Amino acid sequence: MQALRDRGWQPFPFTEFVLKIHSRCNLACDYCYMYEMADQGWRQQPKVISPQVIEATCRNIAEHVDEHTIPQVSVVLHGGEPLLAGHQVVESVARRLHEHLADRTTLRLGIQTNGLLLDQEFLDIFRRWGIRVGVSLDGSEVGHDRHRRYRSGEGSHAQVVEKLKLLTEPENRSLYSGLLCVIDLENDPMETYAGLSACEPPAIDFLMPHGNWDQPPPGRTANRDDTPYADWLIPLFDYWYESTRNEPSVRIFEDIIDISLGFGRASETVGSAPMQVVVIETDGQIEQVDTLKSAFPDATKLGEHVSRSPLSNALWNPSIVARQLGLEALSPACLKCPIHNICGGGHFTHRYQSATGFLNPSVYCPDLFALISHVTRRLRSDLDVSRRNGSAR
């Protein structure tokens, strides 16, 4: 760390804040990194964020904005299931964030929900404070209900789809940010895409199930010739890329294309741009991104709290620095790879192995290589055709 300071390296300020407003959920999804994997810290968390933590969080973010002259910040209300916090808490959080930040920076608010508690009162709150809504949906009824069930075992698909109709009404359409779908290899990709598209999302975010080298995700083996997740995504990409219809934005495809073209866009899954995200738990603890809970207990801990520490204290934590070093933080194997500038080593969480920490390629390395290679081949082919046609004219 001292070597970085000596050469003048400075961390990048946080610009995206994931604010946990409720620590429990009304579903029991069997793949959930929060409740079903290594870290069970949620059991010690207060169920609902308190007014004191809300106030300390808003004040701390405002001070961070002032200290670093940040032109725009995003705050995502999260859980658990954030709507379990209730209308009054959601309204209070949004109001206090606006009161502290609206005159300092451009504030973008969002919420990620399973959608089951959406109602007109929540939508009125979202419209009043400009909160955009992302909903988790795993495609068709069969695919969704295989994992996203109530504790009784009953599936939740029918109820989610019914609630999504509220977001497609003309007066609510601007609030609808998109759908988040966890890939299940047992589900047909085109059937999954059709189920998602039927809900008229402006965007779809396909996520690979969280896993690592110690706990590989479903279908991912040590055989580097196997590319089950790329095999699932590539037909979808070809359909989406070739479509003449107005298809939803698909984040992983657009990110690969943008980075390939030199636009520098990055996400958790691909790219090497510094990650500027921090999580604030319901008890006020300042933590790393919560997907790290899938790796080992306390993987997210930074030892900071919103009522006692400025957010800038966390910027020099080694685990935060590792997310901001870009290509410097990649393993030797990644640096030898011809697509490492696009891949960026994959999702940081997916690199974990107990013997070597996070200095590894992603457990999805073969899939990422196959998918990115396919996308870039198609892109280069079309660009070559376009250049030839331009020269001919």
Side-chain angles (χ1 to χ4, degrees), residues 347-372:
H347 199 302
F348 190 79
T349 297
H350 302 160
R351 304 178 201 173
Y352 179 71
Q353 188 173 35
S354 53
T356 50
F358 294 93
L359 197 60
N360 308 289
S362 167
V363 72
Y364 288 105
C365 176
D367 297 287
L368 291 168
F369 187 89
L371 175 64
I372 292 169

Side-chain angles (χ1 to χ4, degrees), residues 212-225:
N212 53 63
W213 292 101
D214 289 353
Q215 298 288 330
R220 184 63 262 158
T221 72
N223 185 348
R224 296 185 65 83
D225 292 331

Side-chain angles (χ1 to χ4, degrees), residues 23-38:
S23 65
R24 305 301 195 265
C25 193
N26 49 352
L27 287 180
C29 307
D30 58 13
Y31 55 54
C32 183
Y33 63 84
M34 186 75 66
Y35 306 110
E36 302 296 332
M37 301 189 80

Side-chain angles (χ1 to χ4, degrees), residues 77 90 94 109-111 125-133 174-176:
L77 309 185
V90 173
L109 290 179
I111 192 165
I125 294 168
F126 299 158
R127 191 178 303 105
R128 187 152 53 244
W129 299 109
I131 302 174
R132 302 199 69 214
V133 188
S174 64
L175 302 174
Y176 192 6

